[in-house]
Amino acid sequence: MTSMKFPKDFLWGAATASYQIEGAWNEDGKGESIWDRFTHQPFKILNGDNGDIACDHYHRMPEDVQLMKKIGLQSYRFSISWPRIFPAGYGEVNQKGVDFYNRLVDQLLAAGISPNITLNHWDLPQALQEKGGWPNRDTANYFTDYSALIFKQLGDRVDLWSTFNEPWVISSLGYGDGIFAPGISDKSQGYQAAHHLLLAHGNTVKIFRDGNYKGKIGIVLSMTNNRPATQSEADIAACKRVNQDNYGFFLDPIYKGAYPKDFMEWIGPHAPKIKPGDLEKINQPIDYLGVNYYMTFEVAFSNLGGLLKIDMQQKSASNWDFTPEIGFSINPDGLTTLLGYIRKEYNNPPIYITENGCTVEEKPNEEGFIMDWGRIDYIRAHLRALHTAIQEGSDIRGYTVWSLFDNFEWTFGYKPRFGIIRVDYQTLERYPKQSAFWYQEVIKNNGLDY
Ligand code: NOJ
């Protein structure tokens, strides 16, 4: 058994997102979001589920903060619902929405928990989608105005900020493929959306700097670990295209001030329209990169593989299975590989692991308790992989479990349960699982035995 200690000041947390936990979708002046609209249509979501009630966090926030305190979280990553603040996306402010997040931040601080705020985790105001959504350049300006208001309201008390959660999911799954809200399937709109998300990101970082706020700001990306299926030139090139689509398209402009040239040529007429000066705006120094890591893919060239000509297969490590209900591959070492790639490609930026976690087979006893050893094994293995990356020289500042609660898992509805706290969706009671108590020890010891 070896003992793994994490660096001094390493930050341990858990994460959620507004649409996935808040509920109260049309209460206290909140406007409709694209996820409200999407989930209210038939056949979009497994079992016809939606986030109308979700975990009812909007009404149960004080008791939820007390639970976080009991677990000993040092940091809580959550997102703000833009349409709760600006029901129409811009213009008139909904004060009750602002008050909710003000109370949340104050209660977290009183509980000794550092707030880590994501400005947008996918729930764009529907009113802005009516104007074209992210493919419309104006949306980037509305986002910056919204962010400016949030900074003014909360900027004195928040240590960590991110502009967006997984912008690739918004642009690619929301606008390129249409399997997520707002359900548009058009590659050109997808890449244009990505460019505007980046523009909104850059402009927001700029106003954050200009305001001299005390916290740090970054962006959170979904980063799968991808490897070529064979060493053939075609497979290696296909894998590179996936990396460029998934992260190079975002990180190259942010860290290097340019989109990947060969990738832009590959997508040809679907490449976004860029105005002079845009790349300078995007190329703002950020304080950290947020990495959400879940899975590993093997990538092969395929003639039938859409615009990118790829075939992607999830690959678990030989001693791991796939996660139930949602079928994610499990490959802890993939995290070490991915972090090594970022270290080399982007000059070893400070990193927070902003999401990592899994579903497991779980059945509560009659007390509602769940012995989720599978989740503990998963997190332990990923912490080990993370520790290895730190020893190899990566600058890792913290780890965040996805998720604090079982919650609304997008198109999969409530079936997959990612929480270290169980939510009984009938009674909305919360039940910390064994993993929550195990994690409490990890936090206390700033490490674990392996
Ligand atoms: C990443 C997303 O940010 C989050 O919303 C989602 O629930 C998890 N992945 C699990 O799929």
Side-chain angles (χ1 to χ4, degrees):
M1 196 130 80
T2 49
S3 180
M4 293 191 297
K5 279 282 173 208
F6 283 77
K8 195 176 146 287
D9 299 328
F10 195 79
L11 196 64
W12 299 95
T16 63
S18 49
Y19 187 73
Q20 294 180 273
I21 66 159
E22 283 181 4
W25 78 281
N26 59 357
E27 283 180 50
D28 282 352
K30 177 182 166 292
E32 187 186 16
S33 81
I34 55 173
W35 274 94
D36 293 314
R37 177 65 61 96
F38 191 70
T39 58
H40 290 155
Q41 292 164 26
F43 310 122
K44 297 289 189 201
I45 310 292
L46 188 68
N47 300 324
D49 289 344
N50 60 51
D52 290 5
I53 298 172
C55 305
D56 197 32
H57 171 72
Y58 186 73
H59 297 116
R60 290 161 195 258
M61 181 270 284
E63 71 175 88
D64 287 344
V65 172
Q66 289 313 306
L67 264 177
M68 297 177 214
K69 186 178 175 187
K70 267 200 197 113
I71 296 172
L73 292 189
Q74 296 172 342
S75 142
Y76 171 50
R77 174 173 179 249
F78 63 96
S79 74
I80 293 183
S81 159
W82 181 355
R84 213 180 269 296
I85 306 295
F86 285 105
Y90 64 100
E92 210 175 311
V93 177
N94 177 36
Q95 193 54 42
K96 285 191 173 163
V98 177
D99 293 346
F100 171 73
Y101 295 107
N102 250 314
R103 286 198 306 277
L104 172 55
V105 166
D106 284 344
Q107 292 185 28
L108 286 170
L109 292 174
I113 301 166
S114 166
N116 173 356
I117 295 186
T118 303
L119 287 161
N120 183 249
H121 196 124
W122 310 350
D123 42 0
L124 178 77
Q126 177 64 31
L128 293 185
Q129 184 52 39
E130 311 289 325
K131 293 174 180 286
W134 282 111
N136 174 4
R137 197 177 165 96
D138 294 342
T139 303
N141 297 331
Y142 295 134
F143 180 80
T144 316
D145 293 346
Y146 150 70
S147 304
L149 177 105
I150 298 296
F151 293 149
K152 276 204 188 100
Q153 292 289 331
L154 309 176
D156 56 334
R157 283 161 290 155
V158 174
D159 295 324
L160 275 181
W161 295 91
S162 67
T163 49
F164 291 102
N165 177 73
E166 302 193 343
W168 177 88
V169 171
I170 302 175
S171 56
S172 190
L173 303 188
Y175 291 92
D177 294 338
I179 58 171
F180 273 17
I184 289 167
S185 152
D186 174 336
K187 296 288 177 210
S188 299
Q189 286 201 50
Y191 290 111
Q192 195 63 53
H195 179 62
H196 293 154
L197 284 157
L198 283 164
L199 197 59
H201 160 83
N203 288 339
T204 299
V205 173
K206 172 90 171 50
I207 56 162
F208 183 77
R209 302 287 181 223
D210 292 350
N212 279 316
Y213 296 103
K214 68 170 195 136
K216 291 182 183 154
I217 193 161
I219 188 166
V220 171
L221 296 197
S222 49
M223 301 191 76
T224 56
N225 171 48
N226 311 310
R227 58 170 190 250
T230 73
Q231 284 307 304
S232 75
E233 236 175 74
D235 286 353
I236 291 174
C239 184
K240 184 174 172 202
R241 282 195 295 283
V242 172
N243 285 350
Q244 288 174 325
D245 189 57
N246 193 292
Y247 29 91
F249 197 89
F250 298 90
L251 293 184
D252 283 16
I254 290 176
Y255 284 118
K256 302 176 179 171
Y259 283 108
K261 197 166 161 279
D262 47 348
F263 185 77
M264 293 294 259
E265 280 162 15
W266 184 279
I267 61 175
H270 298 297
K273 291 182 187 59
I274 302 168
K275 291 203 173 164
D278 283 0
L279 280 155
E280 287 72 29
K281 289 182 183 135
I282 297 169
N283 184 215
Q284 297 286 324
I286 54 174
D287 299 313
Y288 76 93
L289 170 64
V291 172
N292 291 354
Y293 175 72
Y294 292 92
M295 49 203 152
T296 288
F297 284 97
E298 236 171 53
V299 187
F301 175 84
S302 165
N303 258 319
L304 303 173
L307 176 62
L308 300 187
K309 296 277 169 279
I310 48 166
D311 175 40
M312 291 178 72
Q313 300 293 335
Q314 298 239 18
K315 285 287 166 193
S316 287
S318 56
N319 49 340
W320 292 90
D321 208 339
F322 288 81
T323 61
E325 317 292 8
I326 196 162
F328 285 4
S329 53
I330 307 181
N331 195 328
D333 292 344
L335 177 59
T336 317
T337 311
L338 173 69
L339 292 169
Y341 176 90
I342 301 170
R343 191 168 68 235
K344 290 191 197 90
E345 193 71 15
Y346 300 104
N347 200 18
N348 201 12
I351 286 177
Y352 286 88
I353 303 300
T354 33
E355 282 183 34
N356 174 243
C358 67
T359 57
V360 293
E361 301 287 352
E362 46 182 52
K363 217 168 166 219
N365 70 6
E366 67 276 15
E367 306 286 318
F369 180 70
I370 286 175
M371 205 51 131
D372 54 342
W373 291 119
R375 178 170 289 107
I376 293 172
D377 285 347
Y378 176 102
I379 298 175
R380 185 195 280 122
H382 284 80
L383 288 178
R384 183 185 182 172
L386 189 59
H387 195 256
T388 306
I390 295 172
Q391 284 173 327
E392 287 176 0
S394 286
D395 184 1
I396 314 292
R397 308 284 176 96
Y399 176 85
T400 321
V401 172
W402 183 270
S403 175
L404 181 64
F405 299 117
D406 293 341
N407 59 44
F408 177 80
E409 180 55 30
W410 311 108
T411 48
F412 289 90
Y414 293 100
K415 200 157 185 231
R417 290 174 175 270
F418 275 91
I420 56 172
I421 299 176
R422 177 179 177 80
V423 175
D424 177 328
Y425 293 118
Q426 303 304 316
T427 62
L428 295 168
E429 288 285 315
R430 279 81 162 122
Y431 300 94
K433 304 176 193 177
Q434 185 61 23
S435 53
F437 300 107
W438 176 85
Y439 194 46
Q440 183 178 46
E441 286 301 307
V442 173
I443 299 173
K444 243 190 246 158
N445 298 326
N446 194 33
L448 62 157
D449 289 334
Y450 194 89

